């Protein structure tokens, strides 16, 4: 058991933050995207005034070109090209699945075994943005590798259970479907804490009320790729950031080198089917 106290602060994004740059050269830049921040302008969120692209452009004093995206509530490694040509090269790498991406997530329940989930997902279409798209598409291949890293039992009643159990897991998406990690963990009955779409409200409320955690507990922790110009191996790591204090309370690893070492050792071979 652990003594629970309020440890996290809700992200304040009313003003543009100074984005933490994780890697930069003359061809590309990677930042630690804050949770709750949109990557770019969208007519679906017209009231928003702070965006990663505009903030980074102003911070660097030059145009940036998006290559991939992170959901608004997800934090972590986000990569941009500094020219259209480099953006094209990076997009080709991503399309050919030459990147390796690793995430950390806090989810409900005890995840006991590492494995691979091969569970096709129906494409999620927005009622407004995708109203012209076909609504009867077949399910798409979606594959995620998963490793349990740590567990915690809190002395707090949730629903019919007298205690609340949670796991820290590492995730490697092997395909790139919308909300894939969130939907896959929900399918496994281990929804990510803080997920207001695919999660469970009572667990989200527990973290908000007792731990002052108001965010999706999903972090894009590590990105591995080949530099599109030099050809060198490139590894970019995001820090634990604001969730570090939560991990301390749970007695979970907080040393960044611990996670680096785990990702370097992780292998898909031998993982069971979930």
């Amino acid at each position: 058991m652990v003594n629970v106290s309020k440890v996290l602060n809700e992200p304040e994004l009313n003003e543009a933050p100074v984005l933490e740059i994780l890697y930069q050269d003359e061809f590309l830049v990677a930042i630690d995207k804050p949770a709750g921040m949109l990557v770019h302008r969208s007519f679906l969120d017209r009231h928003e005034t702070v965006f990663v692209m505009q903030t980074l452009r102003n911070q660097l004093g030059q145009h940036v070109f998006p290559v991939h995206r992170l959901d608004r509530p997800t934090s972590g490694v986000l990569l941009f090209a500094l020219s259209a040509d480099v953006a094209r090269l990076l997009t080709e790498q991503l399309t050919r699945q030459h990147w390796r991406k690793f995430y950390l997530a806090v989810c409900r329940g005890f995840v006991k075994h590492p494995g691979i989930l091969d569970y096709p997902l129906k494409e999620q279409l927005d009622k407004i943005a995708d109203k012209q798209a076909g609504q009867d598409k077949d399910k798409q291949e979606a594959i995620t590798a998963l490793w349990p890293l740590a567990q915690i039992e809190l002395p707090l009643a949730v629903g019919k259970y007298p205690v609340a159990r949670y796991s820290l897991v590492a995730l490697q998406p092997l395909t790139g479907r919308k909300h894939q990690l969130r939907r896959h963990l929900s399918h496994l009955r281990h929804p990510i804490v803080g997920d207001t779409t695919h999660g469970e409200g009572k667990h989200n409320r527990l973290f908000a009320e007792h731990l002052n955690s108001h965010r999706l507990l999903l972090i894009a922790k590590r990105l591995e790729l080949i530099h599109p110009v030099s050809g060198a191996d490139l590894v970019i790591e995001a820090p634990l950031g604001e969730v570090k204090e939560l991990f301390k309370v749970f007695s979970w690893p907080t040393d960044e080198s611990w996670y680096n070492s785990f990702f370097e050792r992780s292998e898909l071979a031998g993982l069971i089917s979930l």
Side-chain angles (χ1 to χ4, degrees):
M1 293 290 192
V2 63
N3 291 324
V4 178
S5 60
K6 294 187 176 182
V7 296
L8 291 182
N9 294 318
E10 185 174 5
E12 294 287 347
L13 292 176
N14 294 326
E15 298 181 2
V18 175
L19 298 171
E20 180 180 356
I21 294 178
L22 304 174
Y23 176 88
Q24 183 179 3
D25 61 25
E26 61 183 300
F27 304 106
L28 48 87
V29 60
I31 59 104
D32 182 11
K33 175 195 167 300
M37 193 173 185
L38 286 167
V39 174
H40 51 69
R41 293 183 184 274
S42 168
F43 71 89
L44 299 177
D45 295 278
R46 294 176 179 174
H47 64 286
E48 293 296 333
T49 58
V50 179
F51 311 93
V52 173
M53 278 188 62
Q54 286 77 9
T55 301
L56 183 59
R57 178 194 63 197
N58 295 340
Q59 190 170 319
L60 298 180
Q62 68 179 104
H63 287 290
V64 295
F65 298 79
V67 180
H68 65 130
R69 58 162 292 174
L70 293 177
D71 293 337
R72 177 178 182 168
T74 304
S75 64
V77 180
L78 186 61
L79 185 66
F80 291 87
L82 296 179
S83 72
D85 288 339
V86 172
R88 176 180 54 79
L89 294 173
L90 289 171
T91 300
E92 289 175 357
Q93 288 184 359
L94 182 59
T95 301
R96 295 173 182 173
Q97 299 181 346
H98 290 173
W99 292 8
R100 286 215 314 167
K101 295 184 285 185
F102 292 96
Y103 291 71
L104 295 178
V106 179
C107 63
R108 185 201 72 180
F110 284 175
V111 178
K112 298 180 179 180
H113 305 290
I116 293 182
L117 177 63
D118 185 346
Y119 180 72
L121 296 171
K122 189 82 171 178
E123 183 179 4
Q124 287 191 325
L125 300 175
D126 186 270
K127 293 180 179 179
I128 299 175
D130 300 314
K131 64 181 179 179
Q132 302 299 327
Q135 303 294 315
D136 56 350
K137 294 182 179 179
D138 293 334
K139 290 184 177 181
Q140 299 173 307
E141 180 184 45
I143 305 173
T144 300
L146 177 152
W147 297 266
L149 302 179
Q151 298 174 339
I152 187 72
E153 184 175 277
L154 302 179
L156 299 169
V158 179
K160 63 181 180 180
Y161 300 102
V163 296
R165 293 176 172 178
Y166 301 96
S167 295
L168 173 64
V169 297
L171 303 164
Q172 182 184 354
L174 303 178
T175 54
R177 307 307 176 197
K178 185 176 181 180
H179 294 178
Q180 176 176 313
L181 300 181
R182 296 159 66 179
R183 295 168 72 186
H184 269 180
L185 282 175
S186 179
H187 171 73
L188 291 173
R189 301 187 184 277
H190 293 294
I192 299 176
V193 174
D195 191 339
T196 59
T197 304
H198 308 285
E200 293 189 0
K202 57 181 177 287
H203 293 279
N204 299 346
R205 288 191 295 273
L206 183 150
F207 269 69
E209 295 170 3
H210 294 277
L211 295 161
N212 199 27
S213 173
H214 303 267
R215 57 159 291 180
L216 175 71
L217 292 178
L218 178 64
I219 303 171
K221 191 70 175 65
R222 180 181 175 105
L223 173 61
E224 301 176 5
L225 68 153
I226 303 298
H227 194 288
V229 178
S230 72
D233 292 335
L234 187 59
V235 177
I236 305 170
E237 288 271 354
L240 292 175
E242 62 184 349
V243 303
K244 188 173 184 177
E245 293 304 314
L246 179 68
F247 285 16
K248 287 180 180 178
V249 171
F250 288 177
S251 297
W252 286 352
T254 57
D255 186 343
E256 299 292 348
S257 65
W258 189 93
Y259 295 97
N260 294 346
S261 177
F262 172 81
F263 293 133
E264 289 169 0
R265 299 192 317 270
S266 64
E267 296 286 346
L268 299 177
L271 292 181
I272 65 171
S273 295
L274 298 174

